[in-house]
Amino acid sequence: LKQVRPLNFLFIITMLVAPLLLLLFVPFPASTGNQDPPKATNGELFPWDRMRLPKTVSPIHYDLTIHPNLTTFHFTGVARIELDVHEDTNMVVLHAKQMQISSVLLLAPDGVRPLKVLEYPHFHQLALLSDSVLTKGQMYEVKLEFAANFSDSYHGFYKSSYRTRTGEVRFLASTQFEATFARGAFPCFDEPAFKAKFTIRIIREPRHIAISNMPKVKTVELLGGLLEDHFDTTVKMSTYLVAYIVSDFLSVSKMTQHGVKISVYAVPEKIDQTAYALDAAVKLLDFYDDYFDIPYPLPKQDLAAIPDFQSGAMENWGLTTYRETALLFDPDRSSASDKLAITKVIAHELAHQWFGNLVTMEWWNDLWLNEGFAKFMEYISLDITYPELHVDDFFLGKCFEAMEVDSLSSSHPVSTPVENPMEIQEMFDDVSYDKGACILNMLRDFMTPESFEIGIIKYLKQYSYQNTVNGHLWDSLTNVMSCLSTDKWYSDDELDVRTIMDTWTLQEGFPLVTVEVRESGFAVSLFLWQIPLTYMTSASETVHRFLLKGKTDVLYLPEEVEWVKFNVNMSGYYMVHYEGEGWNSIIRLLQNDHTVLTSNDRASLIHNVFQLVSIGKVRLDTALELSLYLSRETEIMAVTQGFGELVPLYKLMEKRDMAALENQMKGYIVDLFRGLIDQQEWADSGSVSERVLRSYLLLFACVRNYPPCVTKATQLFNEWKDSDGNMSLPVDITMAVFVVGARTPEGWDFLFEKYSHSMQMSVKSRMKIAMTVSPLKDKLKWFSLHGEVMKTQDLPDVVVSISKNPIGYKLAWDFLRANWRTLIKKFDLGSNTVSYMVTGVTSQYSTREMLDEIRSFFGSLTEETGSKMRCIQQTYETIEDNIRWMETNLPLLQAWLDKRRQRMPHEDL
């Protein structure tokens, strides 16, 4: 390369987390043996000793009849499963959980005969034993009659309820089978690779309707006044995608341009909140149909808002299900952030109809092939179909969230071995979703969007109705790399996607690139990752690219530069440290003209510098000096990241007795953003990003008692209360108004009464959180009343929100401990919900005393009550990190704030 006045930038790649790389590159085992011979419930030896099912037989077709009773909350059913025998055998092993099996018959070519049934509940397995051999190549059927109670959790076949405006409680039954819960609804081969077709019949009362994956083809009248709905046969799919609902829902429908019927279902009194979701689903399904160049294979797509729902949504093929807040939208009362969130979740679930449903991961270790892609496609699809939502302003935040988890040694690779249901549940986390999306975005930038799109279409077409592993995707993308000039990445070798991406998916953590300016050249070192580096300099607007893949390398710049910024737009999943004068040059740039860099670049600098403080690479005062430029920042990603790094500093202090320093820090942040806060109108105006930022800023200002904000919010709350809640408040500022209103007992009680009777889900959500921010300690105990007024599904958000409240954080921890067994039964071990509560409630502790208390409680658990959950190790690590941060940085923080006291006269706010 041309050498003109060369400067040397030395890249040193170090690990934030140290994985056992050699172990991680060993192929995943299909299963692990059980140490003791398994015993069936009748005391006999169970003939199979592995968690994973044998592959001697596989299902081809299920004929399934289900009769749920919404009075007794019990259901019965019959499953006829057509089998393909791959090896001679005398047993069929499949799944069933907490189910009474009353009859099992084998329908063989030579007649019908009963099968002996053994049950091994520890693995949720049934063994069906035949006294004669099932012959390879022959077709057989097994017929099982079964009964069970509705699930007590939000998984399997479970009951849901809602209260009408008149106070009547009505019940419905719905399914949630991902990941391992179909086995609680009907006997089945409950692993994703055992794909089959399903023909479903539902028996119901005339007052209800039934919906399932496929359209209803007919209804038959039965004795006793019951009706039996027959649904068309599905395409070949995994058990976790089966769905059916029995309810009194109403629906609205439209047709897509490609002839697919879209319907949105909701409880009758909320059907008027479905119009936005219906239009969004039509628009997005048409987009995916064209983008993937593969027609959506079903004749309909239903979206159902379920009153009781643990997660955000579920991608069941042809019948996606949602929490009500994730689907229902009121144009007059839902906020800009509500619209963004609802559109994203619909985009996510519809992307799954291709990524996950049409092409499915072989096993749960590669869950990211489903979830990472669906998360990534949220942003690709909305950027094109809803440009007014400015979705690009929010993607980078997902990468920061992933890095927070991925920087812990208790993190896991994107693709990691899992075996039991708890380990599988734990895969539904920020690593699978957000890190998966971020490394796909990095790969798209590396390949170019055009080549990447060609590659994923090739992947989807080649593996339709099949199961895949990581390598299948990498092979499809490598095959289109001829579309990409290798000169772009300064590489003389053929670019191999698998070799590059294995370094990102088979080890946890992420690289730290250290840049150092020297006199002799541009040198590069690498340990464990192949990194698509990008950088720009003060001398050129060109984005330079370099694939860092060897132990050392050298680059040269054609001219001297004042500054260099690596990881342009933070499209790469790595952090950058600028040694020597590097950070000072960045600080000068931001102070002089921050707009030279994009908002994402500025946000990434804020994120990187504060994270580097945590690992001792950068002094805290350097990071705080960089933060000073934020007084001139206006873009949402950089502003919210500034808050995201600064606010946690005083949140740690709120749980210690150090009010003076805590208030100094709060005052600094308020003063830093005072100008931007003062610019905000108390009205719904501007772009989606501007409206979301307004909500954020005014809420922060009111929580921090900024007088102009508190005065205005108090005035609006009193006017709204005087109108008995009928006055129309600007939607985007209601959170700030409610938070201020909830500070008095009268205001809190009024909010609680309105919350109890409101049918607007987004309004209820804001009221709920506002009440948890209240300084009234006796009112914070309201979450114990959730059985009558608040849905149990909302309990985790409430507990975590109270844990952030300096008045209530101990209440939240005590509640979590006291109700642990109930919570893990309701929300399931290993679930994202349990992890969210554990880490959310404990993440702001920073004392040895609290660490000891938390260790004492979690240390007393057994494996059955969650002792091996990853979130517990993450909790210990996070608190240890907090303790180290406080011990190292509190003196620096105090000195820096004292130094700036004259510039920051409002620290008492």
Side-chain angles (χ1 to χ4, degrees), residues 104-138:
V104 180
L105 298 175
L106 177 69
L107 287 68
D110 58 349
V112 178
R113 55 182 179 271
L115 295 175
K116 182 178 180 179
V117 182
L118 295 178
E119 184 177 2
Y120 185 49
H122 185 61
F123 285 176
H124 309 152
Q125 289 176 355
L126 297 178
L128 314 180
L129 305 181
S130 171
D131 53 11
S132 60
V133 173
L134 280 62
T135 307
K136 177 181 177 180
Q138 292 279 3

Side-chain angles (χ1 to χ4, degrees), residues 564-728:
V564 59
K565 167 65 173 70
F566 275 78
N567 202 359
V568 177
N569 283 319
M570 202 168 166
S571 57
Y573 189 73
Y574 59 92
M575 292 202 323
V576 183
H577 172 40
Y578 302 90
E579 279 203 336
E581 281 296 301
W583 279 112
N584 288 334
S585 68
I586 293 289
I587 290 169
R588 286 193 297 271
L589 169 66
L590 292 174
Q591 289 173 343
N592 291 334
D593 184 5
H594 64 278
T595 62
V596 170
L597 300 176
T598 66
S599 173
N600 275 7
D601 274 327
R602 303 194 300 267
S604 73
L605 289 168
I606 297 164
H607 172 269
N608 285 191
V609 75
F610 277 95
Q611 296 307 307
L612 291 168
V613 171
S614 298
I615 61 171
K617 291 286 185 181
V618 172
R619 284 172 55 95
L620 176 61
D621 46 10
T622 299
L624 291 169
E625 286 294 322
L626 185 144
S627 75
L628 287 169
Y629 104 89
L630 285 165
S631 63
R632 298 185 302 281
E633 182 61 81
T634 60
E635 297 292 329
I636 186 169
M637 190 65 250
V639 170
T640 55
Q641 194 56 38
F643 278 110
E645 300 297 344
L646 293 168
V647 168
L649 306 191
Y650 74 70
K651 297 303 288 185
L652 292 175
M653 300 176 212
E654 283 182 339
K655 292 155 184 76
R656 292 177 168 215
D657 184 18
M658 48 195 328
L661 181 58
E662 172 193 326
N663 286 329
Q664 263 189 282
M665 187 65 202
K666 290 174 179 177
Y668 169 63
I669 302 172
V670 171
D671 205 73
L672 195 61
F673 293 104
R674 181 189 305 273
L676 194 56
I677 292 167
D678 289 343
Q679 292 173 24
Q680 302 306 309
E681 299 177 346
W682 290 71
D684 297 331
S685 60
S687 69
V688 168
S689 293
E690 289 168 341
R691 292 178 62 184
V692 172
L693 182 58
R694 176 184 301 123
S695 298
Y696 192 104
L697 288 166
L698 293 180
L699 174 61
F700 169 81
C702 283
V703 169
R704 290 279 58 83
N705 295 317
Y706 181 48
C709 182
V710 174
T711 300
K712 181 67 174 178
T714 302
Q715 172 202 333
L716 289 171
F717 183 82
N718 289 337
E719 292 173 3
W720 179 71
K721 182 172 176 289
D722 290 343
S723 75
D724 195 29
N726 294 316
M727 186 183 96
S728 181

Side-chain angles (χ1 to χ4, degrees), residues 442 446 489 500 504 530-534 546-548 567 572 574:
M442 177 175 67
F446 170 72
W489 290 95
I500 296 168
W504 295 94
Q530 291 201 12
I531 308 176
L533 286 177
T534 56
F546 174 66
L547 181 63
L548 185 56
N567 202 359
Y574 59 92

Side-chain angles (χ1 to χ4, degrees), residues 275-454:
Y276 180 77
L278 180 62
D279 289 340
V282 168
K283 194 171 188 177
L284 286 161
L285 199 72
D286 272 330
F287 166 79
Y288 287 134
D289 221 309
D290 294 332
Y291 183 87
F292 295 133
D293 194 32
I294 301 172
Y296 175 73
L298 307 186
K300 62 96 173 175
Q301 169 65 231
D302 297 335
L303 299 84
I306 312 298
D308 297 278
F309 202 83
Q310 181 168 329
S311 59
M314 175 61 205
E315 68 265 23
N316 316 298
W317 217 344
L319 174 52
T320 52
T321 48
Y322 301 77
R323 187 179 281 221
E324 287 184 322
T325 50
L327 195 67
L328 302 180
F329 182 85
D330 183 333
D332 297 323
R333 302 198 180 183
S334 296
S335 67
S337 57
D338 292 330
K339 176 179 283 190
L340 177 65
I342 289 168
T343 318
K344 281 173 58 182
V345 76
I346 293 171
H348 183 101
E349 304 313 323
L350 296 187
H352 269 309
Q353 308 302 299
W354 285 263
F355 278 103
N357 299 8
L358 184 67
V359 179
T360 312
M361 76 266 139
E362 177 81 20
W363 180 243
W364 299 105
N365 61 291
D366 281 332
L367 174 68
W368 86 278
L369 286 174
N370 286 14
E371 298 299 351
F373 256 111
K375 177 62 68 175
F376 173 71
M377 288 306 302
E378 288 178 30
Y379 294 88
I380 298 298
S381 62
L382 296 195
D383 187 47
I384 296 170
T385 57
Y386 285 90
E388 69 275 15
L389 293 180
H390 299 289
V391 73
D392 278 352
D393 286 344
F394 304 93
F395 180 77
L396 193 55
K398 294 298 171 185
C399 302
F400 295 150
E401 289 174 19
M403 284 179 158
E404 184 174 351
V405 174
D406 209 20
S407 64
L408 301 173
S409 59
S410 51
S411 183
H412 64 89
V414 168
S415 182
T416 195
V418 290
E419 195 68 21
N420 62 54
M422 188 195 80
E423 292 171 344
I424 293 168
Q425 283 284 90
E426 287 185 318
M427 290 295 286
F428 292 80
D429 66 357
D430 288 346
V431 173
S432 295
Y433 285 71
D434 297 340
K435 181 179 180 178
C438 293
I439 63 174
L440 286 171
N441 185 59
M442 177 175 67
L443 180 57
R444 180 175 183 256
D445 182 65
F446 170 72
M447 292 183 64
T448 73
E450 298 76 18
S451 298
F452 181 81
E453 183 179 343
I454 293 168

Side-chain angles (χ1 to χ4, degrees), residues 69-74 205 207:
N69 188 318
L70 288 173
T71 302
T72 64
F73 306 120
H74 179 84
E205 296 179 65
R207 64 194 175 105

